[in-house]
Amino acid sequence: MRYTIALLRSILFWLLFVIMSSISSIGAVVSLPVSHHATIWFVRIWAQFHRLICRFVLGQRIVIEGDMPDIPVLYVFKHEGAFETIEQPMLFRYPAVFAKEELFSIPVWGQAARFYGLIPVDRDGGGKAMRAMLNAAKAALAKGRPLVLFAEGTRVPHGSAPPLRSGFAGVYRMLGVPVIPVAVNSGLAYPPRRWVKWPGTITYRIGETIPAGLPREEAEERVWRAINALNPPEALLAGEASA
């Protein structure tokens, strides 16, 4: 019975979300010649609608533990599902999110993402792609935008604590800005690569700010521990053993 209710809720959720995503993506692209502010507005409305249907269709609550200032620093989020990627325009006024290059090839959505100011990450693009990514990140910081990075590189199930991708160290060193790590347990209610979603509480836990200029090993260790703060202790022990 519990699964049936979750399935019915998920069907309604996906139907509403796909319709709103289509409307918002088209609106963001069409409005760009008129006003970039309109593009930002469409993206925020999309994120607001997603949070609304998560709450009232899926039965999910959101809890934020700590302060998440909207300032030009590097945020590193735990990545357990699409939930926290869609949430970014709700957490910040105008975030610059690092996103996989292939996402920009999605019809309409990819155009809207590029116009909005997401930062493409081309892992196979070599030095030229890295320089373009860093230049885009520096330009976003200069405009006062927070940067958002999912340093594990992909969505991972709740309870998994893989090492950070090597790209984090390069971004941290080259940008020279503080890092604010954020743990998320979205995988419990909004599991990655699963069609059915579940009611429950999704928590953001903001960790201690990590200053710029630390040695690579120390910065990676502190970020890794902070973003996995909502994982069970055995996940951290397993992560340490595999490091």
Side-chain angles (χ1 to χ4, degrees):
M1 184 66 178
R2 179 172 177 266
Y3 178 83
T4 301
I5 293 174
L7 175 62
L8 292 174
R9 282 180 157 187
S10 297
I11 291 172
L12 178 58
F13 166 82
W14 285 115
L15 177 63
L16 293 172
F17 182 64
V18 168
I19 292 173
M20 188 58 181
S21 295
S22 301
I23 293 171
S24 299
S25 297
I26 294 171
V29 172
V30 170
S31 65
L32 185 68
V34 179
S35 170
H36 191 250
H37 290 291
T39 298
I40 296 173
W41 181 83
F42 272 107
V43 172
R44 185 168 179 82
I45 289 297
W46 171 69
Q48 287 177 333
F49 185 79
H50 174 259
R51 181 178 281 195
L52 186 71
I53 57 177
C54 282
R55 178 69 184 93
F56 294 104
V57 177
L58 296 179
Q60 297 173 348
R61 294 179 60 251
I62 298 170
V63 172
I64 300 177
E65 298 178 355
D67 295 323
M68 205 180 301
D70 195 347
I71 57 177
V73 296
L74 176 62
Y75 276 90
V76 176
F77 277 72
K78 180 70 179 177
H79 197 14
E80 292 193 353
F83 179 87
E84 54 270 12
T85 61
I86 301 169
E87 273 272 296
Q88 294 305 315
M90 290 294 295
L91 301 175
F92 307 106
R93 183 185 62 82
Y94 185 29
V97 182
F98 293 89
K100 294 183 292 187
E101 175 69 33
E102 51 265 35
L103 293 177
F104 293 86
S105 64
I106 298 174
V108 184
W109 188 95
Q111 291 176 290
R114 196 176 298 277
F115 292 157
Y116 180 81
L118 269 63
I119 301 173
V121 177
D122 184 357
R123 295 176 184 146
D124 301 319
K128 183 178 179 181
M130 183 67 172
R131 287 191 296 273
M133 181 185 73
L134 289 172
N135 287 337
K138 290 176 181 177
L141 290 171
K143 294 177 181 178
R145 300 173 64 189
L147 302 177
V148 176
L149 177 67
F150 299 100
E152 292 161 313
T154 189
R155 292 167 288 177
V156 299
H158 183 73
S160 298
L164 307 184
R165 288 288 186 100
S166 59
F168 162 74
V171 170
Y172 171 73
R173 179 175 60 86
M174 297 297 293
L175 293 180
V177 294
V179 175
I180 300 179
V182 183
V184 187
N185 64 352
S186 59
L188 293 171
Y190 205 110
R193 304 174 185 88
R194 295 291 186 272
W195 198 80
V196 176
K197 310 301 182 186
W198 301 92
T201 299
I202 296 175
T203 301
Y204 295 101
R205 181 175 295 171
I206 296 85
E208 181 180 349
T209 300
I210 299 167
L214 294 179
R216 172 177 176 168
E217 294 77 11
E218 181 180 354
E220 288 183 335
E221 171 72 11
R222 290 177 64 173
V223 169
W224 180 81
R225 285 196 171 278
I227 67 172
N228 287 294
L230 292 172
N231 271 333
E234 55 268 25
L236 296 182
L237 292 174
E240 288 176 338
S242 62

